[in-house]
Amino acid sequence: MKTKLKRLLTRTRIEALVVLLGVGGYIWGGLSLPPYYHVPGVPGPSVFPLILGCVMGGLALWLLIYPGEEKRRKEKEEDKDKGTSGEGYWSWKQLLSNWRFFLMWGLLIAYVFLLPVLGFPISSALLLAAFILLLGERHWYVAVAIAVVFTLGIYLIFTRGLQIHLPLGVLEGIFRW
Amino acid sequence: MLDQLLYGFSVAFTPFNILIAFLGCLIGTIIGVLPGLGPTGTIAILLPLVFSMPASSALIMLAAVYYGAMYGGSTTSILVNIPGESASVVTTIDGHKMALQGRAGPALAISAIGSFIAGTFSVIILTFIGAPVAKFALRFGPAEFFSLMVFGLSTVASLAGKSVVKAIMSTVLGLMMATVGIDLVSGAPRYTFGNPFLLDGIDFIVVAIGMFAISEVIVTAEELRTGARRQIIKAKRIWISFREFIYSLGAILRGTVIGFFVGILPGSGATLASFLSYDIEKRVAKHPERFGQGEIRGVAAPESANNAASGGALLPLLTLGIPGGGATAVMLGAFMMLGITPGPLLFQKHPDLVWGLIASMYLGNLMLLVLNWPLVNLFARIMYIPARYLMPIVLVISTIGVWSLSYSPMDLVVMGVCGVLGYYMRKHDYPLAPVLLGLILGGRMEQAFRQALIISHGSPMIFLQKPISAVLLAGALIFLLLPYLLERWRRFRLAREAALKEEA
């Protein structure tokens, strides 16, 4: 029973279910707009989202019924023979061994959130150094040097040359340039 | 008409103006190459510079900056797989593949050459058949617009990987993203979750950088680790060969015609034109399977089309006063600076300006080609910077591009979300380009849809009763189903042949 469920719940089917869930929320969000935005006789703001939601839902259902996994599984096996499979990430052991992958995502998300707070120079220099190292640079000093030089260069070009304001963040109190 | 055009050229082609055009093009390209800073941003940055110039020079400078920035946008598409602006999204598909094969030079070169040829032809078309065509464009009401957008969206079938359903899902995702923000018809805030930063909607750049740039960095990291990323082959030739040029000439010309006529229709002409021309190129090609693998025609066609579209977009601007796209909106601004309102009378009242404008856009185009010679050399070398240095730096600059849009932390968060989404989609056969197409066309499409329904008092039959609209919708259906039917037919034929052989 369990194996049967596992065989039925292929990746594409799970995707389809997630999409269906999202579509449900989307349609619900569209329908729950306050009624005073609707003028009688005129297509209101929820008509288009409703249509889009239905189309998307229909497509997700299609994927749920015809995920086309059989064909794909064969192709995957062929890929594996060639040694170019990108699918290996999805077993837990490999997930753990791929700590770099998760560290990069973590850093990216942190960067996006911390940029306005920490300021551009510090967060960017840290991100640059970390990414250059994670991408395979062997010497840490090269990574740090590139990170610092480029951060400063980019900062000067954008703020001075292009008049784009970049947040200084915690440096705000120390430097005023 | 021709003597007036020549007069315009004589106004535009003074040594000072040529210098200005050169500088504008150079600055535009350099800023446009920074991912996230597209033509509109570049022009906004440089606008103060233009105020002090005489009117005709200001116009020329703006046109040159615009073309430069457009070209800069295509450059990032080709080199690092990040579309700099919406009209070069399609260019990433084959352009970046070419760059990975060590053919960045030819890809950049054909993009400039195609743009120039397209620019030349669109000026010619504009001069001779401009007026009647503009009248035809007037017959495009909301219903026709909506159907045109549907037709444009149907081109995603040819961008699909293994599954057309997934490609359509990507498109609908883009359309859904476009519904975020204040609804322009009723004023209702939709899907903003009470966040004031989302009222303006989601900007194209935020999604483009999130989906393309972030996923590109992570994918590069994986490829570096697994050794799947091969060393980029040193190019033998930095410019394109004559043979490649002849090979792509047909694509350039088709792209020009499509671009010009789609560009006339106000709205997202250039983007729509680039997708359409890629689609058509793939359909007429002898080897459609080469598209997506670094086919030079897949770069030539959309790049020509988006350039021709800015020529076509001049028509509604000059005859109706409606800017058809980014370039013409800026031109409209320049007109306003001069105290002139474009409209039906402009051709009679200020012929010098009209033809001066056309000539200055042409000059900008020409400069692009001239500049391209040294710049291709320089840009193609960017490919040889080791990816471990290049990609993080590109990421940081892209993030600044997103930040500079409205200095909103929310944009950064949306970018991050799009990054995660984009990575997953990319790994699992959901093409990314359709998302951007949907996002760009979505707002206008919804407006046209609802306006049409208002006109028809709520009857959806209006889309079928208007002949142009009906033809476009039928075309969209055929475009979507044709590959599927052809495949069926091919299989059927193969099976029958096999059966016949067995009998024999």
CSV table of all heavy atoms in Angstrom, one decimal, chain B residues 241-283:
chain,number,residue,atom,x,y,z
B,241,SER,N,31.3,35.4,-39.1
B,241,SER,CA,31.8,35.1,-40.4
B,241,SER,C,30.7,35.5,-41.4
B,241,SER,O,29.6,35.7,-41.1
B,241,SER,CB,32.1,33.6,-40.6
B,241,SER,OG,30.9,32.9,-40.5
B,242,PHE,N,31.2,35.7,-42.7
B,242,PHE,CA,30.2,36.1,-43.7
B,242,PHE,C,29.1,35.1,-43.9
B,242,PHE,O,28.0,35.4,-44.0
B,242,PHE,CB,31.0,36.3,-45.0
B,242,PHE,CG,30.1,36.9,-46.1
B,242,PHE,CD1,29.6,38.2,-46.0
B,242,PHE,CD2,29.8,36.1,-47.2
B,242,PHE,CE1,28.8,38.7,-47.0
B,242,PHE,CE2,29.0,36.6,-48.2
B,242,PHE,CZ,28.5,37.9,-48.1
B,243,ARG,N,29.5,33.8,-43.7
B,243,ARG,CA,28.6,32.7,-43.9
B,243,ARG,C,27.5,32.8,-42.8
B,243,ARG,O,26.3,32.6,-43.1
B,243,ARG,CB,29.4,31.5,-43.7
B,243,ARG,CG,28.8,30.3,-44.4
B,243,ARG,CD,29.6,29.2,-44.1
B,243,ARG,NE,29.3,28.0,-44.9
B,243,ARG,CZ,30.1,26.9,-44.8
B,243,ARG,NH1,31.1,26.9,-43.9
B,243,ARG,NH2,29.8,25.9,-45.5
B,244,GLU,N,27.9,33.0,-41.6
B,244,GLU,CA,26.9,33.2,-40.5
B,244,GLU,C,26.0,34.3,-40.7
B,244,GLU,O,24.8,34.2,-40.5
B,244,GLU,CB,27.6,33.4,-39.1
B,244,GLU,CG,28.2,32.1,-38.5
B,244,GLU,CD,29.0,32.4,-37.3
B,244,GLU,OE1,29.9,33.3,-37.3
B,244,GLU,OE2,28.8,31.7,-36.3
B,245,PHE,N,26.6,35.4,-41.3
B,245,PHE,CA,25.7,36.6,-41.6
B,245,PHE,C,24.7,36.2,-42.6
B,245,PHE,O,23.5,36.5,-42.4
B,245,PHE,CB,26.6,37.7,-42.1
B,245,PHE,CG,25.8,38.9,-42.6
B,245,PHE,CD1,25.1,39.7,-41.7
B,245,PHE,CD2,25.8,39.2,-43.9
B,245,PHE,CE1,24.4,40.7,-42.2
B,245,PHE,CE2,25.1,40.3,-44.4
B,245,PHE,CZ,24.4,41.0,-43.5
B,246,ILE,N,25.1,35.6,-43.7
B,246,ILE,CA,24.1,35.2,-44.8
B,246,ILE,C,23.1,34.3,-44.2
B,246,ILE,O,21.9,34.4,-44.4
B,246,ILE,CB,24.9,34.6,-45.9
B,246,ILE,CG1,25.8,35.6,-46.6
B,246,ILE,CG2,23.9,34.0,-46.9
B,246,ILE,CD1,25.0,36.7,-47.3
B,247,TYR,N,23.6,33.4,-43.3
B,247,TYR,CA,22.7,32.4,-42.7
B,247,TYR,C,21.6,33.0,-41.9
B,247,TYR,O,20.4,32.6,-41.9
B,247,TYR,CB,23.5,31.4,-41.9
B,247,TYR,CG,22.7,30.4,-41.1
B,247,TYR,CD1,22.1,29.4,-41.8
B,247,TYR,CD2,22.6,30.4,-39.8
B,247,TYR,CE1,21.3,28.4,-41.2
B,247,TYR,CE2,21.9,29.4,-39.1
B,247,TYR,CZ,21.2,28.4,-39.8
B,247,TYR,OH,20.5,27.5,-39.1
B,248,SER,N,21.9,34.1,-41.2
B,248,SER,CA,21.0,34.8,-40.3
B,248,SER,C,20.2,35.9,-41.0
B,248,SER,O,19.3,36.5,-40.4
B,248,SER,CB,21.6,35.3,-39.1
B,248,SER,OG,23.0,35.2,-39.0
B,249,LEU,N,20.5,36.2,-42.3
B,249,LEU,CA,19.9,37.3,-42.9
B,249,LEU,C,18.4,37.2,-43.0
B,249,LEU,O,17.6,38.1,-42.7
B,249,LEU,CB,20.5,37.5,-44.3
B,249,LEU,CG,20.2,38.9,-44.9
B,249,LEU,CD1,20.8,40.0,-44.1
B,249,LEU,CD2,20.8,39.0,-46.3
B,250,GLY,N,17.9,36.0,-43.3
B,250,GLY,CA,16.5,35.7,-43.4
B,250,GLY,C,15.8,36.0,-42.1
B,250,GLY,O,14.8,36.7,-42.0
B,251,ALA,N,16.5,35.5,-41.0
B,251,ALA,CA,15.9,35.7,-39.7
B,251,ALA,C,15.8,37.2,-39.4
B,251,ALA,O,14.8,37.7,-38.8
B,251,ALA,CB,16.7,35.0,-38.7
B,252,ILE,N,16.8,37.9,-39.8
B,252,ILE,CA,16.9,39.4,-39.5
B,252,ILE,C,15.7,40.0,-40.2
B,252,ILE,O,15.0,40.8,-39.6
B,252,ILE,CB,18.2,40.0,-39.9
B,252,ILE,CG1,19.3,39.5,-39.0
B,252,ILE,CG2,18.1,41.5,-39.9
B,252,ILE,CD1,20.7,39.9,-39.4
B,253,LEU,N,15.5,39.7,-41.5
B,253,LEU,CA,14.5,40.4,-42.2
B,253,LEU,C,13.1,40.0,-41.7
B,253,LEU,O,12.2,40.9,-41.6
B,253,LEU,CB,14.6,40.0,-43.7
B,253,LEU,CG,15.9,40.6,-44.4
B,253,LEU,CD1,16.0,40.2,-45.8
B,253,LEU,CD2,16.0,42.1,-44.2
B,254,ARG,N,12.9,38.7,-41.4
B,254,ARG,CA,11.6,38.4,-40.9
B,254,ARG,C,11.4,39.1,-39.5
B,254,ARG,O,10.3,39.6,-39.3
B,254,ARG,CB,11.5,36.8,-40.7
B,254,ARG,CG,11.2,36.1,-42.0
B,254,ARG,CD,11.0,34.6,-41.7
B,254,ARG,NE,12.3,34.0,-41.4
B,254,ARG,CZ,13.1,33.4,-42.3
B,254,ARG,NH1,12.7,33.4,-43.5
B,254,ARG,NH2,14.2,32.8,-41.9
B,255,GLY,N,12.4,39.1,-38.7
B,255,GLY,CA,12.3,39.8,-37.4
B,255,GLY,C,11.9,41.2,-37.6
B,255,GLY,O,11.1,41.8,-36.8
B,256,THR,N,12.5,41.9,-38.6
B,256,THR,CA,12.3,43.3,-38.9
B,256,THR,C,10.8,43.5,-39.2
B,256,THR,O,10.2,44.4,-38.6
B,256,THR,CB,13.1,43.8,-40.1
B,256,THR,OG1,14.5,43.5,-39.8
B,256,THR,CG2,12.9,45.2,-40.3
B,257,VAL,N,10.3,42.7,-40.1
B,257,VAL,CA,8.9,42.9,-40.5
B,257,VAL,C,7.9,42.7,-39.3
B,257,VAL,O,7.1,43.5,-39.0
B,257,VAL,CB,8.5,42.0,-41.7
B,257,VAL,CG1,7.1,42.1,-42.0
B,257,VAL,CG2,9.4,42.3,-42.9
B,258,ILE,N,8.2,41.6,-38.6
B,258,ILE,CA,7.3,41.3,-37.4
B,258,ILE,C,7.4,42.4,-36.4
B,258,ILE,O,6.5,42.9,-35.9
B,258,ILE,CB,7.7,39.9,-36.8
B,258,ILE,CG1,7.5,38.8,-37.8
B,258,ILE,CG2,7.0,39.7,-35.5
B,258,ILE,CD1,8.1,37.5,-37.4
B,259,GLY,N,8.7,42.8,-36.1
B,259,GLY,CA,8.9,43.8,-35.1
B,259,GLY,C,8.3,45.1,-35.5
B,259,GLY,O,7.6,45.7,-34.6
B,260,PHE,N,8.4,45.5,-36.7
B,260,PHE,CA,7.8,46.8,-37.1
B,260,PHE,C,6.3,46.8,-36.9
B,260,PHE,O,5.7,47.7,-36.3
B,260,PHE,CB,8.1,47.1,-38.5
B,260,PHE,CG,7.7,48.5,-38.9
B,260,PHE,CD1,8.5,49.6,-38.7
B,260,PHE,CD2,6.5,48.7,-39.6
B,260,PHE,CE1,8.0,50.9,-39.0
B,260,PHE,CE2,6.0,49.9,-39.9
B,260,PHE,CZ,6.8,51.0,-39.6
B,261,PHE,N,5.6,45.8,-37.4
B,261,PHE,CA,4.2,45.8,-37.3
B,261,PHE,C,3.6,45.6,-35.9
B,261,PHE,O,2.6,46.1,-35.6
B,261,PHE,CB,3.6,44.8,-38.3
B,261,PHE,CG,3.8,45.3,-39.7
B,261,PHE,CD1,4.8,44.9,-40.6
B,261,PHE,CD2,2.9,46.3,-40.2
B,261,PHE,CE1,4.9,45.4,-41.8
B,261,PHE,CE2,3.1,46.9,-41.5
B,261,PHE,CZ,4.1,46.4,-42.3
B,262,VAL,N,4.3,44.7,-35.2
B,262,VAL,CA,3.9,44.5,-33.8
B,262,VAL,C,4.2,45.8,-33.0
B,262,VAL,O,3.4,46.2,-32.1
B,262,VAL,CB,4.5,43.3,-33.1
B,262,VAL,CG1,4.1,43.1,-31.7
B,262,VAL,CG2,4.1,42.1,-33.9
B,263,GLY,N,5.3,46.5,-33.3
B,263,GLY,CA,5.7,47.7,-32.6
B,263,GLY,C,4.7,48.8,-32.7
B,263,GLY,O,4.6,49.7,-31.9
B,264,ILE,N,4.0,48.8,-33.9
B,264,ILE,CA,3.0,49.9,-34.1
B,264,ILE,C,2.0,49.9,-33.0
B,264,ILE,O,1.5,50.9,-32.6
B,264,ILE,CB,2.4,49.7,-35.5
B,264,ILE,CG1,3.4,50.0,-36.6
B,264,ILE,CG2,1.2,50.7,-35.6
B,264,ILE,CD1,2.9,49.6,-37.9
B,265,LEU,N,1.6,48.7,-32.6
B,265,LEU,CA,0.5,48.6,-31.6
B,265,LEU,C,1.0,49.1,-30.3
B,265,LEU,O,2.0,48.6,-29.8
B,265,LEU,CB,0.0,47.2,-31.5
B,265,LEU,CG,-0.3,46.6,-32.9
B,265,LEU,CD1,-0.4,45.1,-32.9
B,265,LEU,CD2,-1.7,47.2,-33.3
B,266,PRO,N,0.4,50.1,-29.7
B,266,PRO,CA,0.9,50.6,-28.5
B,266,PRO,C,0.9,49.6,-27.4
B,266,PRO,O,0.1,48.7,-27.4
B,266,PRO,CB,-0.1,51.7,-28.1
B,266,PRO,CG,-0.9,52.0,-29.3
B,266,PRO,CD,-0.8,50.8,-30.2
B,267,GLY,N,1.9,49.7,-26.5
B,267,GLY,CA,2.0,48.6,-25.5
B,267,GLY,C,3.3,48.0,-25.5
B,267,GLY,O,4.3,48.6,-25.8
B,268,SER,N,3.4,46.7,-25.2
B,268,SER,CA,4.6,46.1,-25.0
B,268,SER,C,5.1,45.5,-26.3
B,268,SER,O,5.5,44.4,-26.4
B,268,SER,CB,4.5,45.0,-24.0
B,268,SER,OG,3.6,45.4,-23.0
B,269,GLY,N,5.1,46.4,-27.4
B,269,GLY,CA,5.4,45.9,-28.7
B,269,GLY,C,6.7,45.2,-28.8
B,269,GLY,O,6.8,44.1,-29.4
B,270,ALA,N,7.8,45.8,-28.3
B,270,ALA,CA,9.1,45.2,-28.5
B,270,ALA,C,9.2,43.8,-27.9
B,270,ALA,O,9.8,42.9,-28.5
B,270,ALA,CB,10.2,46.1,-27.9
B,271,THR,N,8.7,43.6,-26.7
B,271,THR,CA,8.8,42.3,-26.1
B,271,THR,C,8.0,41.3,-26.8
B,271,THR,O,8.5,40.2,-27.1
B,271,THR,CB,8.2,42.4,-24.6
B,271,THR,OG1,8.8,43.5,-24.0
B,271,THR,CG2,8.5,41.2,-23.9
B,272,LEU,N,6.8,41.7,-27.2
B,272,LEU,CA,5.9,40.8,-27.9
B,272,LEU,C,6.6,40.4,-29.2
B,272,LEU,O,6.6,39.2,-29.6
B,272,LEU,CB,4.6,41.5,-28.1
B,272,LEU,CG,3.3,40.6,-28.4
B,272,LEU,CD1,3.2,39.6,-27.3
B,272,LEU,CD2,2.1,41.5,-28.5
B,273,ALA,N,7.1,41.4,-29.9
B,273,ALA,CA,7.7,41.2,-31.2
B,273,ALA,C,8.9,40.2,-31.1
B,273,ALA,O,9.1,39.3,-31.9
B,273,ALA,CB,8.2,42.5,-31.8
B,274,SER,N,9.7,40.3,-30.0
B,274,SER,CA,10.9,39.5,-29.9
B,274,SER,C,10.4,38.0,-29.7
B,274,SER,O,11.0,37.1,-30.3
B,274,SER,CB,11.8,39.9,-28.8
B,274,SER,OG,11.1,39.9,-27.5
B,275,PHE,N,9.4,37.8,-28.8
B,275,PHE,CA,8.9,36.4,-28.6
B,275,PHE,C,8.3,35.9,-29.9
B,275,PHE,O,8.6,34.7,-30.3
B,275,PHE,CB,7.9,36.4,-27.5
B,275,PHE,CG,8.4,36.3,-26.1
B,275,PHE,CD1,8.8,37.4,-25.5
B,275,PHE,CD2,8.6,35.1,-25.5
B,275,PHE,CE1,9.3,37.3,-24.2
B,275,PHE,CE2,9.2,35.0,-24.3
B,275,PHE,CZ,9.5,36.1,-23.6
B,276,LEU,N,7.5,36.7,-30.6
B,276,LEU,CA,6.9,36.2,-31.8
B,276,LEU,C,7.9,35.8,-32.9
B,276,LEU,O,7.7,34.8,-33.5
B,276,LEU,CB,5.9,37.3,-32.4
B,276,LEU,CG,4.5,37.2,-32.0
B,276,LEU,CD1,3.8,38.5,-32.6
B,276,LEU,CD2,3.9,36.0,-32.6
B,277,SER,N,8.9,36.7,-33.0
B,277,SER,CA,9.8,36.4,-34.1
B,277,SER,C,10.6,35.2,-33.8
B,277,SER,O,10.9,34.4,-34.7
B,277,SER,CB,10.7,37.6,-34.3
B,277,SER,OG,11.5,37.8,-33.2
B,278,TYR,N,11.0,35.0,-32.5
B,278,TYR,CA,11.7,33.7,-32.2
B,278,TYR,C,10.8,32.5,-32.5
B,278,TYR,O,11.3,31.5,-33.1
B,278,TYR,CB,12.0,33.7,-30.7
B,278,TYR,CG,12.8,32.6,-30.2
B,278,TYR,CD1,14.2,32.6,-30.3
B,278,TYR,CD2,12.2,31.4,-29.7
B,278,TYR,CE1,15.0,31.5,-29.9
B,278,TYR,CE2,13.0,30.3,-29.3
B,278,TYR,CZ,14.3,30.4,-29.4
B,278,TYR,OH,15.1,29.3,-29.0
B,279,ASP,N,9.6,32.6,-32.1
B,279,ASP,CA,8.6,31.5,-32.4
B,279,ASP,C,8.5,31.2,-33.8
B,279,ASP,O,8.6,30.0,-34.2
B,279,ASP,CB,7.3,32.0,-31.8
B,279,ASP,CG,6.2,30.9,-31.9
B,279,ASP,OD1,6.4,29.8,-31.3
B,279,ASP,OD2,5.2,31.1,-32.6
B,280,ILE,N,8.4,32.2,-34.6
B,280,ILE,CA,8.2,32.0,-36.1
B,280,ILE,C,9.5,31.5,-36.7
B,280,ILE,O,9.4,30.6,-37.5
B,280,ILE,CB,7.7,33.3,-36.7
B,280,ILE,CG1,6.3,33.6,-36.4
B,280,ILE,CG2,7.9,33.3,-38.3
B,280,ILE,CD1,5.6,34.8,-36.9
B,281,GLU,N,10.6,32.0,-36.2
B,281,GLU,CA,11.9,31.5,-36.7
B,281,GLU,C,12.0,30.0,-36.5
B,281,GLU,O,12.5,29.3,-37.3
B,281,GLU,CB,13.0,32.3,-36.0
B,281,GLU,CG,14.2,32.6,-36.9
B,281,GLU,CD,13.8,33.0,-38.3
B,281,GLU,OE1,13.0,34.0,-38.4
B,281,GLU,OE2,14.3,32.4,-39.2
B,282,LYS,N,11.6,29.6,-35.3
B,282,LYS,CA,11.7,28.2,-35.0
B,282,LYS,C,10.8,27.4,-35.8
B,282,LYS,O,11.1,26.2,-36.1
B,282,LYS,CB,11.4,28.0,-33.5
B,282,LYS,CG,11.8,26.7,-33.0
B,282,LYS,CD,11.6,26.6,-31.5
B,282,LYS,CE,11.8,25.1,-31.0
B,282,LYS,NZ,11.7,25.0,-29.5
B,283,ARG,N,9.7,27.9,-36.2
B,283,ARG,CA,8.7,27.2,-36.9
B,283,ARG,C,9.1,27.0,-38.4
B,283,ARG,O,8.8,26.0,-39.0
B,283,ARG,CB,7.3,27.8,-36.9
B,283,ARG,CG,6.6,27.5,-35.5
B,283,ARG,CD,5.4,28.3,-35.4
B,283,ARG,NE,5.0,28.4,-34.0
B,283,ARG,CZ,4.3,27.5,-33.3
B,283,ARG,NH1,3.9,26.5,-33.9
B,283,ARG,NH2,4.0,27.7,-32.1
